[in-house]
Amino acid sequence: IFGPSSCTVEDRVGVLHWIKYSVWKQWYQRRVRGWSLFLLSQQPEHMARCYEEIREVFDRENGDEYVTQQQINELTHFSMCIKECLRMKSPVPIIGRQLHNDVQIEGHRLPKGTNIAFLIDALHRVEEFWPEPNEFKPERFSPENSKNRDPYSYIPFSVGNRNCIGQNFAVTELKMTVAKIIYNFDVVAHKPENVTRISAMIMKPLNLFLKFIPRENKI
């Protein structure tokens, strides 16, 4: 495909972008899946509610053999839990932007052209938007609690013209894979007190080990 007569420069650039996106997606999904399962494993009440909800929806048809978007849309409590996982363990810790205009922030002038950084993990713990920010509370994302919240207070995939172009696909894939795992396995964290993380392009977990115990009461 990269031969001189087989494709244009635009074709080659497109293929390289596709390869980069595919590699990035797999790298991202592994980490955010691990964080989500770990956080839920530490919340037995919410894990149980998620399992019952997933089982009720999946068992109406063919179990988890064919998971559809419609089924995922019915998992309301589970979806709130996934959003809370993305808030507490933001996959991308920091994003950068360049100011197109002068900006005043709390009496300080930032001139046009300044390079700035947003700490997403810190933003997701601002108590003005997230009371008790270190507590796992999926109900934060219920329709009634979300309707008046600043839309820029929750940006796990960045925001604006340069946000993640694959975020809808990424969230759908995350929900489908985590739901299938919860449907089939009870998830237990090994020595959760030792789990920590390091900041890289994606927040990387350290000492995160999960045990998957097969469930027996499935169709």
Side-chain angles (χ1 to χ4, degrees):
I1 191 170
F2 290 107
S5 61
S6 61
C7 62
T8 65
V9 171
E10 289 78 10
D11 291 333
R12 298 176 192 180
V13 171
V15 169
L16 290 173
H17 278 303
W18 179 82
I19 293 173
K20 180 177 70 173
Y21 171 75
S22 298
V23 172
W24 174 264
K25 179 177 74 70
Q26 294 302 319
W27 191 32
Y28 161 84
Q29 283 289 351
R30 285 198 302 271
R31 283 159 174 73
V32 77
R33 252 196 317 264
W35 280 125
S36 298
L37 289 167
F38 169 72
L39 288 172
L40 282 168
S41 74
Q42 301 306 293
Q43 305 293 328
E45 178 184 350
H46 291 293
M47 177 66 93
R49 286 186 63 181
C50 286
Y51 172 64
E52 291 302 322
E53 185 177 58
I54 292 166
R55 185 184 177 194
E56 178 184 355
V57 172
F58 284 8
D59 283 0
R60 288 193 210 131
E61 299 183 26
N62 298 311
D64 66 334
E65 184 176 359
Y66 301 106
V67 179
T68 67
Q69 182 67 61
Q70 181 178 350
Q71 288 175 310
I72 294 299
N73 292 343
E74 293 182 53
L75 303 176
T76 53
H77 186 76
F78 173 71
S79 293
M80 290 191 294
C81 285
I82 291 295
K83 287 184 177 181
E84 180 70 340
C85 290
L86 291 171
R87 181 192 71 83
M88 295 192 72
K89 301 294 183 184
S90 305
V92 178
I94 187 170
I95 56 175
R97 293 291 186 269
Q98 186 178 80
L99 297 180
H100 291 174
N101 301 290
D102 292 354
V103 174
Q104 291 283 340
I105 298 179
E106 296 185 352
H108 300 280
R109 175 179 170 272
L110 301 180
K112 175 182 177 181
T114 300
N115 292 319
I116 60 174
F118 291 94
L119 299 176
I120 296 178
D121 196 52
L123 173 63
H124 287 175
R125 283 172 168 74
V126 174
E127 292 197 36
E128 177 184 351
F129 307 119
W130 314 104
E132 299 181 280
N134 295 320
E135 298 297 320
F136 189 89
K137 293 187 173 183
E139 61 273 15
R140 303 178 198 273
F141 293 97
S142 66
E144 57 272 20
N145 289 333
S146 299
K147 62 182 179 180
N148 295 322
R149 184 179 297 131
D150 190 314
Y152 294 98
S153 64
Y154 178 71
I155 54 170
F157 295 93
S158 183
V159 70
N161 294 332
R162 296 182 61 83
N163 67 352
C164 175
I165 61 172
Q167 61 178 298
N168 291 331
F169 176 82
V171 171
T172 298
E173 185 178 37
L174 173 65
K175 289 180 180 179
M176 285 186 171
T177 53
V178 172
K180 285 169 72 75
I181 290 171
I182 292 174
Y183 179 76
N184 287 282
F185 300 96
D186 187 20
V187 183
V188 179
H190 176 68
K191 295 184 178 180
E193 67 277 7
N194 293 338
V195 175
T196 184
R197 59 183 181 170
I198 59 173
S199 294
M201 291 182 64
I202 292 180
M203 198 71 75
K204 180 180 178 181
L206 293 177
N207 303 318
L208 198 166
F209 301 98
L210 299 173
K211 181 178 181 180
F212 298 91
I213 304 171
R215 298 187 188 272
E216 297 180 356
N217 52 342
K218 303 198 286 61
I219 65 169

